[in-house]
């Protein structure tokens, strides 16, 4: 599986989420290869639900980045009946059973994160035991560490592999930031990432990657 | 990975670890080679050489015997000349051009592959490059610029170059750029090279991850 997920974490207006996704499509990303990454804050329920609904209209995957199980449950509720994949990041592995019970027919993934591979393996196993598909969020300051983790996770078949080459790239990104993001996206895909989350404020940030992988 | 910058103008000085030099009539090629080795601290130089100036090439190779020159011969060249070239100096590596389609050369082991990456490249072809059993692979990304013009080209080309280059970030693949806007890509790939200098670090990280 290869998915380009457009980060909308800094976006306030759901319309902007729509524009970003449409822009990604115009750049050549097909719906089944398009994802949306949303920051889900508990106190802004109406807003994130609106963002999620926009995402579900245009993308085949939604990643919700949250730290609250209640917010994750709200997202599951909003996604009921959707045929895309909902990936919940940031909740404890022990919450998997509770979320699984609500997910029913939904294509749900929960991410296992950790500082060591052992920790990730344990969390992924717990998520799997709860009847939910695990995903791994590979985040690190060092691209080399991310590449190593992606490879190791791939060798052990621990689940969907998500990487964040666009982390810290903002609306005011320089050419260098864009270039760096593109290079890291391809590097992570090389090392087995299934999903790359990128900032796509400018279409030329996403179009070259789409050209290479969406054929 | 080593990164380089195509130098088509004798006065252009860009810091690079490798340089690609195009031979033109009337320009002093030796002066440029000297500049690249001394001032730009190149590890090696890729020479793009037209097939109708082979005698001059032999002369140049004799003069730079002991330095690492990779010669990309442009046009059809007699095998006897290739032999002659390799007899002059062992550090001269005759290169072959590999266009990424159709599937040619991939089963042939040779010293150097000079690969022109065209704008039709995709991820499957990138994977095929990784599988080439060569001691050295040089990627020339200038072909990515085909049919890219105006604003689209201005903003997208450096990103596309970096995306292709980034795929090989921790590999022993050398990349040649030639685009006035390629500086950002070069900066990044140099960072990558620095980060990936010691490949045993990578093995160490894997080992730590296993613990």
């Amino acid at each position: 599986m290869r998915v380009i997920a457009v980060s909308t974490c800094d976006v306030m207006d759901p319309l902007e989420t729509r524009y970003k996704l449409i822009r990604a499509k115009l750049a050549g990303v097909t719906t089944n290869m398009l994802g949306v990454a949303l920051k889900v804050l508990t106190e802004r329920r109406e807003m994130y639900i609106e963002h999620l609904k926009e995402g579900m209209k245009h993308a085949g995957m939604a990643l919700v980045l949250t730290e609250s199980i209640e917010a994750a449950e709200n997202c599951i509720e909003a996604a009921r009946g959707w045929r895309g994949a909902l990936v919940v990041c940031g909740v404890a592995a022990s919450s998997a059973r509770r979320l699984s019970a609500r997910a029913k027919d939904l294509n749900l993934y929960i991410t296992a994160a950790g500082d060591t591979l052992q920790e990730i393996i344990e969390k992924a196993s717990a998520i799997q035991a709860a009847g939910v598909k695990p995903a791994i969020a590979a985040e690190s300051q060092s691209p080399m560490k991310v590449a190593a983790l992606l490879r190791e996770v791939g060798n052990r078949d621990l689940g969907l592999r998500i990487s964040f080459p666009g982390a810290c790239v903002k609306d005011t990104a320089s050419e260098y930031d864009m270039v760096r993001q593109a290079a890291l996206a391809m590097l992570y895909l090389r090392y087995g990432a299934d999903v790359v989350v990128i900032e796509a404020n400018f279409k030329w940030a996403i179009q070259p990657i789409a050209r290479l992988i969406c054929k | 990975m080593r990164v380089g910058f195509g130098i088509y103008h004798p006065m252009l000085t860009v810091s690079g670890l490798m340089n690609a030099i195009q031979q033109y009539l009337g320009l002093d090629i030796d002066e440029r080679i000297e500049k690249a080795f001394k001032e730009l601290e190149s590890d090696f130089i890729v020479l793009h050489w037209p097939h109708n100036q082979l005698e001059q090439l032999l002369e140049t190779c004799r003069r730079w015997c002991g330095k690492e020159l990779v010669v990309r011969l442009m046009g059809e060249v007699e095998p006897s000349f290739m032999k002659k070239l390799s007899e002059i100096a062992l550090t001269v590596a005759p290169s072959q051009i590999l266009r990424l389609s159709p599937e040619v050369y991939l089963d042939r082991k040779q010293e150097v592959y000079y690969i022109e990456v065209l704008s039709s490249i995709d991820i499957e072809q990138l994977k095929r490059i990784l599988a080439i059993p060569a001691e050295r692979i040089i990627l020339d990304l200038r072909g990515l610029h085909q049919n890219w013009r105006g604003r689209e080209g201005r903003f997208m080309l450096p990103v596309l170059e970096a995306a292709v280059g980034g795929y090989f970030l921790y590999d022993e693949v050398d990349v040649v750029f030639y685009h006035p806007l390629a500086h950002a890509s070069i900066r990044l790939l140099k960072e990558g090279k620095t980060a990936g200098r010691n490949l045993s670090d990578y093995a160490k990280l894997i080992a730590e991850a296993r613990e």
Side-chain angles (χ1 to χ4, degrees):
Chain A
M1 183 194 289
R2 276 201 294 264
V3 174
I4 298 175
V6 177
S7 169
T8 62
C9 293
D10 296 325
V11 169
M12 297 303 286
D13 184 349
L15 272 179
E16 280 184 65
T17 295
R18 184 192 299 176
Y19 292 151
K20 279 194 171 192
L21 290 166
I22 289 172
R23 210 180 287 142
K25 280 186 175 174
L26 288 173
V29 188
T30 52
T31 304
N32 62 334
M33 288 182 80
L34 180 60
V36 60
L38 311 160
K39 191 169 275 180
V40 170
L41 299 170
T42 311
E43 68 273 20
R44 290 185 175 178
R45 177 178 172 167
E46 292 311 314
M47 183 174 278
Y48 68 71
I49 294 295
E50 283 304 305
H51 278 283
L52 179 60
K53 282 181 178 167
E54 279 300 331
M56 291 190 299
K57 274 185 215 165
H58 301 281
M61 176 181 280
L63 295 97
V64 292
L65 316 173
T66 184
E67 286 176 352
S68 137
I69 185 150
E70 289 76 19
E73 282 176 330
N74 293 339
C75 290
I76 288 170
E77 211 58 53
R80 197 168 298 289
W82 185 45
R83 293 172 71 184
L86 182 70
V87 184
V88 176
C89 311
V91 296
S94 54
S95 311
R97 202 168 294 280
R98 180 170 153 186
L99 293 179
S100 168
R102 283 185 171 253
K104 293 172 186 161
D105 294 335
L106 190 63
N107 188 12
L108 179 70
Y109 290 86
I110 295 178
T111 57
D115 293 329
T116 64
L117 187 65
Q118 192 55 42
E119 205 178 334
I120 291 171
I121 291 170
E122 282 167 14
K123 285 185 183 175
S125 305
I127 291 165
Q128 212 155 21
V132 183
K133 283 173 275 191
I136 307 300
E139 274 185 286
S140 168
Q141 291 299 310
S142 154
M144 229 178 163
K145 282 186 183 172
V146 173
L149 179 63
L150 288 170
R151 196 152 94 159
E152 192 59 23
V153 166
N155 289 343
R156 290 165 183 260
D157 196 17
L158 289 178
L160 193 72
R161 286 159 290 177
I162 303 164
S163 62
F164 298 85
C168 305
V169 176
K170 303 293 177 198
D171 287 15
T172 51
S174 66
E175 184 176 67
Y176 176 69
D177 292 324
M178 292 295 165
V179 156
R180 186 170 197 277
Q181 170 177 262
L184 292 182
M186 291 305 293
L187 177 75
Y188 295 158
L189 287 169
R190 153 86 198 283
Y191 281 91
D194 298 300
V195 183
V196 284
V197 181
I198 70 169
E199 175 52 62
N201 275 307
F202 308 108
K203 74 170 186 180
W204 41 84
I206 202 166
Q207 191 163 352
I209 305 167
R211 258 180 89 96
L212 290 168
I213 74 168
C214 301
K215 280 190 177 175
Chain B
M1 173 197 281
R2 286 185 273 204
V3 294
F5 197 92
I7 298 183
Y8 280 2
H9 190 282
M11 297 307 290
L12 183 63
T13 55
V14 178
S15 174
L17 303 165
M18 168 185 63
N19 282 283
I21 295 178
Q22 181 105 34
Q23 163 66 341
Y24 284 134
L25 279 172
L27 295 176
D28 187 344
I29 189 74
D30 287 305
E31 192 181 300
R32 280 186 284 158
I33 292 175
E34 186 170 2
K35 189 187 276 288
F37 273 132
K38 288 186 179 168
E39 292 180 22
L40 310 181
E41 298 177 344
S42 296
D43 293 337
F44 70 96
I45 290 173
V46 180
L47 295 175
H48 300 269
W49 209 280
H51 70 287
N52 58 355
Q53 294 172 39
L54 298 180
E55 289 309 313
Q56 194 191 344
L57 172 62
L58 284 175
E59 195 49 45
T60 297
C61 289
R62 275 197 195 98
R63 203 166 301 148
W64 291 97
C65 182
K67 299 283 183 182
E68 193 174 10
L69 302 177
V70 176
V71 182
R72 177 201 159 195
L73 289 164
M74 297 155 73
E76 288 298 315
V77 180
E78 288 290 316
S80 59
F81 180 79
M82 298 289 278
K83 191 164 179 282
K84 217 168 166 183
L85 194 64
S86 61
E87 281 167 2
I88 294 171
L90 290 172
T91 47
V92 176
S95 63
Q96 297 251 0
I97 302 169
L98 173 69
R99 289 187 183 271
L100 284 166
S101 60
E103 294 189 23
V104 287
Y105 300 120
L106 295 185
D107 55 342
R108 281 173 50 191
K109 170 97 177 145
Q110 65 179 55
E111 219 173 304
V112 179
Y113 267 97
Y114 189 93
I115 301 174
E116 286 183 296
V117 177
L118 306 179
S119 56
S120 58
I121 187 98
D122 62 26
I123 199 163
E124 295 308 316
Q125 291 176 319
L126 293 176
K127 281 184 195 166
R128 282 174 52 205
I129 292 174
L130 285 174
I132 294 174
E135 284 175 23
R136 167 171 288 165
I137 296 172
I138 299 170
L139 288 187
D140 184 343
L141 303 187
R142 294 173 298 166
L144 291 174
H145 306 158
Q146 290 166 331
N147 308 321
W148 293 67
R149 298 284 180 273
R151 188 174 164 81
E152 186 184 54
R154 156 73 179 83
F155 289 105
M156 211 164 338
L157 283 176
V159 186
L160 184 63
E161 281 181 334
V164 174
Y167 194 77
F168 301 98
L169 205 58
Y170 297 138
D171 289 288
E172 288 301 305
V173 173
D174 304 307
V175 182
V176 181
F177 294 95
Y178 181 71
H179 193 274
L181 300 165
H183 298 86
S185 319
I186 290 173
R187 184 177 145 201
L188 170 77
L189 296 174
K190 275 185 179 170
E191 264 184 25
K193 181 182 182 284
T194 312
R197 188 185 293 148
N198 186 355
L199 288 178
S200 64
D201 284 353
Y202 183 84
K204 200 174 151 196
L205 283 170
I206 293 277
E208 280 173 6
R210 284 199 180 105
E211 281 170 9

